[in-house]
Amino acid sequence: QLQLQESGPGLVKPSQTLSLTCTVSGGSVSSDDYYWSWVRQHPARGLEWIGYIYFSGSSYYSPSLRSRTSISVDTSKNQFSLKLTSVTAADTAVYYCARLVSDTSTFDIWGRGAMVTVSA
Amino acid sequence: QSALTQPASVSGSPGQSITISCTGTSNDVGRYDLVSWFQQHPGKAPKLIIFDVTKRPSGVSPRFSGSKSGSTASLTISGLQAEDEADYYCCSYAGRWFVVFGGGTKVSFL
């Protein structure tokens, strides 16, 4: 059974870069049937799509976050990563990594989530 | 891409059926049969319960069903049970590789 696990600092200072990694186990990030995604959830609020990447490196981002977001994939480590630059308190959220099925644009498997707080 | 519109809350009595709406536009829900629904309990990750408007993943209760009319998708929960109290989110493909979520609906008992 494929599992996803987020890792990274839980506290980031304002104006710095938020960096998270998602490790894929029980499956391969190199599968051509899936995209690898990031979704966030602000405290007590809804889900917000950040972006996703294909194993080839092709990536797609939410228009509202595109200028500050970069998603990369490391097939040798079976991981993919998120970088969000110039963070503010508004970026405080739980960050989820998720698998997106390419045929149906469905997020079918999710990680447990990583809480990231932006504070000095 | 604007968020899909869901009611903030829906309530029902145990055993009743409830329906949650998810309204988009002709560019997302209205154009693609690629609507999914997620259930989220407090402190937990979202769980996929419906995809491709009407399909249920293996292991999801048949009490959950999905439909779509025009630019509005709907999730119906039949025979409401205690464990159905949760937040529910819709999601749609919006073209040009974009995905958009709804704002979420809290389901509770009357």
Side-chain angles (χ1 to χ4, degrees):
Chain A
Q1 176 74 344
L2 185 134
Q3 293 185 326
L4 305 175
Q5 179 66 60
E6 305 88 350
S7 59
L11 182 64
V12 181
K13 289 181 167 51
S15 80
Q16 294 192 342
T17 296
L18 179 158
S19 296
L20 291 172
T21 295
C22 183
T23 300
V24 179
S25 58
S28 173
V29 75
S30 297
S31 170
D32 56 8
D33 293 328
Y34 307 107
Y35 289 84
W36 304 96
S37 317
W38 290 97
V39 176
R40 71 180 182 179
Q41 186 169 31
H42 296 98
R45 290 179 61 183
L47 301 169
E48 180 182 18
W49 172 62
I50 299 172
Y52 51 74
I53 191 166
Y54 198 52
F55 76 94
S56 64
S58 298
S59 55
Y60 307 91
Y61 304 111
S62 167
S64 63
L65 294 170
R66 180 184 294 130
S67 64
R68 298 193 293 127
T69 306
S70 175
I71 298 175
S72 59
V73 61
D74 187 334
T75 55
S76 67
K77 294 182 178 178
N78 221 28
Q79 295 176 334
F80 60 104
S81 299
L82 169 70
K83 290 190 186 302
L84 184 66
T85 62
S86 305
V87 297
T88 70
D91 295 307
T92 293
V94 175
Y95 286 77
Y96 293 99
C97 58
R99 186 177 79 171
L100 182 79
V101 182
S102 59
D103 285 350
T104 62
S105 295
T106 298
F107 298 102
D108 68 335
I109 297 176
W110 295 66
R112 289 187 171 186
M115 179 68 207
V116 179
T117 301
V118 179
S119 175
Chain B
Q1 280 70 24
S2 300
L4 306 176
T5 300
Q6 297 181 234
S9 62
V10 173
S11 55
S13 300
Q16 277 190 331
S17 293
I18 62 169
T19 296
I20 302 168
S21 61
C22 169
T23 301
T25 71
S26 58
N27 293 321
D28 39 60
V29 176
R31 177 169 293 184
Y32 305 100
D33 288 335
L34 296 174
V35 177
S36 50
W37 289 89
F38 302 90
Q39 177 192 61
Q40 186 180 35
H41 287 106
K44 300 293 187 181
K47 174 190 173 185
L48 178 66
I49 56 173
I50 295 287
F51 67 100
D52 287 359
V53 179
T54 62
K55 298 176 182 175
R56 278 188 310 276
S58 174
V60 171
S61 171
R63 296 187 300 104
F64 294 96
S65 61
S67 62
K68 190 183 90 167
S69 178
S71 297
T72 297
S74 298
L75 172 73
T76 298
I77 308 175
S78 304
L80 201 61
Q81 297 182 2
E83 61 262 33
D84 300 333
E85 281 198 317
D87 294 327
Y88 292 83
Y89 294 91
C90 61
C91 179
S92 176
Y93 180 66
R96 285 191 267 180
W97 307 103
F98 297 150
V99 172
V100 62
F101 283 98
T105 298
K106 187 176 194 66
V107 169
S108 59
F109 286 132
L110 286 169

